Amino acid sequence: MNNTINEINKLQKITDTISKNIPWNLHVASCLDGLRDLIKEKQKEVSQFELDNMSFEQYKEHMKGRGFDA
């Protein structure tokens, strides 16, 4: 999971560098969109991993306010 988190950080740095230093055009916008999609997919993987590995107490706290709290 650490590799996935490191990949997210690298992708975010690349995205930031491109968006700040390269003039906007259709190709740049398309690349940035693809990078942001990759970041979202990897964030979902991390979120699912964290959810799957929560203790019961953490899961109970996570579900509060979603109609499942006692």
Side-chain angles (χ1 to χ4, degrees):
M1 193 49 45
N2 286 337
N3 288 337
T4 303
I5 293 170
N6 288 334
E7 289 173 359
I8 291 170
N9 291 333
K10 287 177 185 177
L11 287 168
Q12 189 61 53
K13 285 179 184 178
I14 292 168
T15 302
D16 293 343
T17 300
I18 291 171
S19 64
K20 291 176 184 174
N21 298 310
I22 297 178
W24 187 92
N25 65 45
L26 190 57
H27 302 294
V28 171
S30 177
C31 290
L32 289 172
D33 189 46
L35 286 168
R36 290 181 182 122
D37 286 344
L38 284 171
I39 292 169
K40 285 180 193 175
E41 290 173 18
K42 291 194 177 288
Q43 286 284 20
K44 286 180 186 177
E45 289 177 23
V46 171
S47 296
Q48 187 61 45
F49 177 82
E50 290 173 345
L51 189 61
D52 291 343
N53 291 292
M54 283 182 181
S55 67
F56 178 75
E57 291 78 22
Q58 290 171 321
Y59 186 73
K60 183 177 174 184
E61 188 66 28
H62 171 74
M63 294 307 289
K64 278 189 177 177
R66 297 177 188 199
F68 297 101
D69 50 331

